[in-house]
Amino acid sequence: MVSEDASGGGIDVAVLEIARFEVRPGTEDEFEAAYRGIRAELVGTPGCRAARLTRGVESSSSYVLLVEWDTLDSHLKNFRESERFVRWRAALGPYFAEPPSVSHGVDIPPGPDPV
């Protein structure tokens, strides 16, 4: 999604954060409960448009979190450099089997649909 930035000085492209989590086997239910309990810290962050957590079908200890941000700075400055992230990590970190991997992407316009 493309929108004018608040300052009127340019165009911002929404950024999709893709975070992959491996949790310790046997802690999936507790991890999901912790996520539900702390989710408001994430979605209440200025610049966060939406968040969705998915669980792996083939590996039930694997999760992917998809977060749509107004801009990359919305994620990095408004969330990662805030107390919100400290609380988020304290709630979810104990369940991680390994450090999460995080990447960011932007939508590619699909072009015209076939007729």
Side-chain angles (χ1 to χ4, degrees):
M1 174 177 253
V2 178
S3 62
E4 294 274 337
D5 74 7
S7 68
I11 301 292
D12 287 330
V13 177
V15 172
L16 182 65
E17 172 193 0
I18 303 111
R20 291 173 172 36
F21 307 126
E22 290 292 329
V23 302
R24 290 181 287 106
T27 66
E28 296 87 356
D29 291 342
E30 293 90 348
F31 172 76
E32 291 174 22
Y35 169 77
R36 284 189 292 275
I38 199 69
R39 184 177 183 274
E41 292 286 351
L42 176 64
V43 297
T45 302
C48 180
R49 297 180 181 188
R52 183 173 109 190
L53 182 67
T54 66
R55 185 174 180 177
V57 173
E58 294 82 8
S59 174
S60 62
S61 297
S62 297
Y63 293 83
V64 175
L65 176 68
L66 302 170
V67 186
E68 189 173 332
W69 297 97
D70 287 342
T71 65
L72 183 58
D73 276 353
S74 297
H75 177 218
L76 299 179
K77 294 189 183 297
N78 297 356
F79 184 66
R80 291 291 299 262
E81 293 179 9
S82 75
E83 286 300 312
R84 289 176 180 274
F85 179 73
V86 172
R87 293 186 292 269
W88 167 268
R89 192 58 183 249
L92 300 181
Y95 302 101
F96 296 155
E98 58 192 51
S101 81
V102 178
S103 61
H104 299 90
V106 294
D107 287 345
I108 302 299
D113 289 329
V115 208

